[in-house]
Amino acid sequence: MTETGMTADPTLNSSNSSADSLSDREEDRRLSGFAGWMRRCSFPDVALKPMLAAMAAGTTPPEPDAGDAAALKVDKNVLAAVFVEPLWRVVDAWRARNPGCLALPEADPGDGSPPGDAVIPIPVDMFLRWIDPERLHGSVSAIIQAGMANVFIDCTHRWALAMEAAAAAGASDAETALYRRYRETLHRFQSGHTAVQHLAFTPEGHLMAGVKTAVFFTAAIASAACVLTAGRPGLDPVAVARNSVPLLITAARMHLDQLVSLTDRIGGSEAGAYGLNLTNAEHAALMAELFTLQDTPRGPALALRGAIADALPALANERPRTGCPALHAADAAGTNTILALNAWVLEVHAALLAGADAARR
């Protein structure tokens, strides 16, 4: 794996700025709206970068003891970071074959056999029929989450099948060896250190869990930018969402338990902001309760309201915070995958809103 850096500006290549330099920039911490919350966090922040560098150099750290929950957590996340890039290459290839498309699951064959693994590419404008004008942002966000998740589900499954086949064939290359370790670490962590020990968490499932959370939060930022700029001439919601990348990066650095708490507040449950039950007025009120606009050197950007950050749960010191593995991965063009996903979401979000607006005229 080639380790890549991080940048807070989606127009820049990731080689122009490193993850370490970004984390040290006071501007980005201030713009995130989490500055005080981050200072109050006392649980340790475990750096994955040195471990990734060692793995890239062929010096794999020793496997953690099965009884060490914290070490297992770090190991599974650094291994996830190793495989985000090859997975993203599969996604990039799908998008190159199907430009301007999201996906729907393949239809059930109707003969009692299970449906195929493939998805059906659907042009974005074909999804306009599912937009509810009375629940505009909720239905647009639901389309983005479902349509993109279908792409990632299919690509992740194809990637996992290829890796499982290599592992079963006894391949001895470094990537396959790391995949076997990833699979075993997940098993050890899941079987001894979680409340859902009955579940079998595979690399495929682990990566998809992260993707779904990322798509959800990124769509929320796009939606909030539209709501908070409505009726304010001169404010471009897409530009505001792009300026809000530091908020995305800060969320990606959070401890998972706190990110789950935050997404629940934004509307991760069935009854939340991205279920189709919220009217436009209800959705706008929720976004205004959660987010505010800040002036920044880049221009107006979103920040989380202080009361929301203060309500996030405190965590014990012994629980390590590794951050999202995607912080350390890039797409084929060298753009960090969090920024690449953000750009894709904003592109689709703008296209759906433009199509819905045109249909109303």
Side-chain angles (χ1 to χ4, degrees):
M1 171 183 174
T2 301
E3 189 177 7
T4 57
M6 230 358 259
T7 175
D9 188 338
T11 65
L12 298 178
N13 186 282
S14 62
S15 62
N16 295 333
S17 167
S18 72
D20 290 343
S21 64
L22 181 66
S23 65
D24 289 336
R25 289 174 59 185
E26 181 59 34
E27 176 196 346
D28 288 326
R29 290 199 296 270
R30 179 175 61 81
L31 300 190
S32 73
F34 287 94
W37 173 82
M38 292 287 279
R39 285 193 295 270
R40 292 192 298 274
C41 286
S42 58
F43 50 87
D45 183 4
V46 177
L48 300 186
K49 192 172 183 179
M51 299 177 69
L52 284 166
M55 289 183 179
T59 308
T60 305
E63 293 189 22
D65 184 89
D68 190 340
L72 286 168
K73 175 184 175 178
V74 171
D75 204 57
K76 72 185 178 70
N77 285 348
V78 75
L79 288 164
V82 169
F83 289 107
V84 170
E85 286 192 1
L87 169 59
W88 199 271
R89 288 197 291 272
V90 180
V91 175
D92 275 342
W94 189 96
R95 293 182 63 194
R97 294 193 305 271
N98 305 288
C101 289
L102 299 179
L104 290 175
E106 187 177 47
D108 189 317
D111 57 4
S113 61
D117 297 320
V119 294
I120 304 170
I122 304 292
V124 168
D125 60 5
M126 296 295 289
F127 287 87
L128 293 174
R129 70 188 76 178
W130 289 300
I131 294 180
D132 180 354
E134 302 300 318
R135 294 165 175 78
L136 177 64
H137 290 291
S139 55
V140 165
S141 294
I143 288 168
I144 290 172
Q145 290 176 67
M148 286 191 180
N150 288 329
V151 175
F152 278 99
I153 288 168
D154 183 59
C155 291
T156 306
H157 187 59
R158 293 177 184 277
W159 165 81
L161 285 176
M163 293 305 304
E164 287 289 341
S172 58
D173 60 283
E175 184 177 47
T176 306
L178 288 175
Y179 179 82
R180 291 191 186 97
R181 174 167 170 165
Y182 187 16
R183 189 173 58 187
E184 179 61 24
T185 295
L186 284 171
H187 172 72
R188 289 178 178 178
F189 184 82
Q190 197 73 10
S191 62
H193 304 287
T194 72
V196 286
Q197 297 181 21
H198 59 288
L199 298 178
F201 215 3
T202 63
E204 180 179 357
H206 188 226
L207 290 172
M208 270 309 306
V211 166
K212 288 180 178 179
T213 300
V215 173
F216 167 82
F217 196 81
T218 307
I221 294 297
S223 179
C226 287
V227 168
L228 269 64
T229 57
R232 302 180 66 172
L235 287 184
D236 177 4
V238 176
V240 168
R242 286 177 178 153
N243 294 341
S244 304
V245 162
L247 178 58
L248 290 175
I249 300 304
T250 302
R253 292 192 183 119
M254 293 172 70
H255 190 288
L256 178 60
D257 289 356
Q258 293 181 311
L259 181 59
V260 168
S261 175
L262 176 57
T263 54
D264 282 346
R265 293 294 299 271
I266 295 172
S269 65
E270 184 179 350
Y274 300 109
L276 300 185
N277 58 318
L278 285 190
T279 65
N280 291 335
E282 290 169 335
H283 181 270
L286 178 60
M287 293 296 100
E289 175 188 336
L290 295 165
F291 298 99
T292 186
L293 286 174
Q294 285 186 346
D295 289 327
T296 78
R298 296 183 181 85
L302 290 171
L304 199 67
R305 287 194 179 275
I308 304 302
D310 290 342
L312 296 175
L315 295 172
N317 290 348
E318 67 271 12
R319 303 178 71 175
R321 173 169 63 93
T322 63
C324 175
L327 286 165
H328 304 279
D331 66 6
T335 301
N336 177 267
T337 52
I338 293 176
L339 306 186
L341 179 63
N342 183 52
W344 188 15
V345 167
L346 291 181
E347 174 189 326
V348 174
H349 193 272
L352 289 171
L353 287 183
D357 184 59
R360 288 196 302 268
R361 294 179 180 178

